[in-house]
Amino acid sequence: MNTDKNRVFKPEKLFAPRDFQSPQIKPNQYLEIGTGKGMHAMQFAQANPDKHLIAIERTRVKFDVFAARTAELELNNLLPIHADAIPWIVHGIPPGSLEGVFLLYPNPEPKNASQRWLNMPFFEFLLSRLKPAAPLVLVTNIEAYAEEAEELAKQLWRLDVERQEVPRDSARTHFEVKYLARGETCHQLNLVKPQGYRTRFDDWTPQNNAQA
Ligand SMILES: C[S@@+](CC[C@H](N)C(=O)[O-])C[C@H]1O[C@@H](n2cnc3c(N)ncnc32)[C@H](O)[C@@H]1O
């Protein structure tokens, strides 16, 4: 486990993605990172017309499928974004503005622990974008990934953690359907900032940190 607290995220080093357009953040705003072909994103938007979801996917082929289906459904509460989530979030999401974040079956990065979401210094920045008490939902089929994430959430990030097994009839994403059909156990962590939680990025925006 990486517990090097000296590795601090440096948002000022990240340029806005090419053709970046600043999103209009809604009062009831959710974010999904690594949405794949967008199954959960579209289901969520259809089931929750009062909520807004930004869903980001960086792989072009998957994103194109997602964007085409979203256009057919004419969902006005779902914004599909083709980008690397990290610079896009730095430039697009203000502090304390999200009601929830979904990280559903992220790449496990077996050979590169530093690329797992809770191991990245960026994770602190992501936490700063959540409203107080808003959940970050992380789901994985890999028990060791869930164990590591739970440990990091508690010990490094000092979050409140609720862990549950995904019901066997759940079908939120393509990967979830695949893993449950194979009889695998999927693990869900609901992570919440305790009351009074502070990050180093709570006041950070690209505007107030622009170089003179
Ligand atoms: C294992 S797939 C899961 C897809 C979907 N959530 C599902 O469960 O079916 C992980 C996805 O995250 C995307 N991804 C990984 N890192 C990303 C990043 N930094 N920004 C945007 N997407 C990312 C990958 O392209 C991939 O499509």
Side-chain angles (χ1 to χ4, degrees):
M1 181 192 304
N2 176 7
T3 50
D4 180 0
K5 292 182 182 172
N6 296 323
R7 287 193 316 144
V8 177
F9 184 59
K10 296 198 168 56
E12 66 280 5
K13 301 269 187 215
L14 294 185
F15 291 111
R18 201 186 317 169
D19 303 328
F20 177 75
Q21 290 183 332
S22 206
Q24 204 193 350
I25 301 297
K26 303 288 191 330
N28 218 349
Q29 186 68 62
Y30 290 73
L31 173 72
E32 183 171 339
I33 300 173
T35 194
K37 294 178 185 169
M39 182 170 165
H40 171 265
M42 291 182 281
Q43 284 179 2
F44 179 91
Q46 282 181 311
N48 300 283
D50 57 324
K51 297 177 179 162
H52 290 84
L53 177 65
I54 294 171
I56 310 179
E57 173 53 49
R58 87 179 160 196
T59 302
R60 165 59 80 185
V61 181
K62 293 184 187 184
F63 176 79
D64 285 347
V65 174
F66 170 39
R69 288 191 190 150
T70 300
E72 277 167 26
L73 294 173
E74 296 183 4
L75 293 165
N76 61 10
N77 60 337
L78 173 59
L79 179 61
I81 297 290
H82 177 230
D84 181 333
I86 295 176
W88 196 91
I89 290 167
V90 164
H91 288 272
I93 306 284
S97 59
L98 298 174
E99 292 286 351
V101 170
F102 298 103
L103 270 169
L104 306 179
Y105 303 93
N107 295 334
E109 305 289 352
K111 292 189 183 135
N112 201 349
S114 66
Q115 293 301 304
R116 295 179 205 139
W117 290 102
L118 277 84
N119 269 325
M120 287 194 232
F122 166 74
F123 195 73
E124 181 180 355
F125 190 91
L126 184 59
L127 291 173
S128 75
R129 309 292 107 169
L130 282 160
K131 290 184 180 177
L136 185 150
V137 177
L138 173 79
V139 194
T140 179
N141 64 319
I142 299 172
E143 190 168 14
Y145 190 107
E147 302 290 346
E148 181 187 81
E150 182 174 2
E151 187 74 359
L152 285 165
K154 288 178 177 165
Q155 303 302 334
L156 179 59
W157 302 113
R158 306 278 172 201
L159 300 171
D160 293 337
V161 180
E162 186 190 273
R163 180 163 169 179
Q164 60 203 52
E165 204 176 288
V166 174
R168 305 224 74 86
D169 60 351
S170 185
R172 290 173 294 186
T173 81
H174 287 99
F175 277 77
E176 186 165 87
V177 169
K178 180 171 79 177
Y179 297 137
L180 292 175
R182 292 202 304 228
E184 294 182 26
T185 299
C186 296
H187 313 268
Q188 177 159 330
L189 300 176
N190 301 324
L191 311 179
V192 174
K193 295 188 282 188
Q195 217 182 358
Y197 193 93
R198 299 280 303 158
T199 80
R200 284 166 282 203
F201 304 107
D202 291 352
D203 302 315
W204 197 97
T205 65
Q207 294 73 31
N208 68 21
N209 284 274
Q211 302 293 323

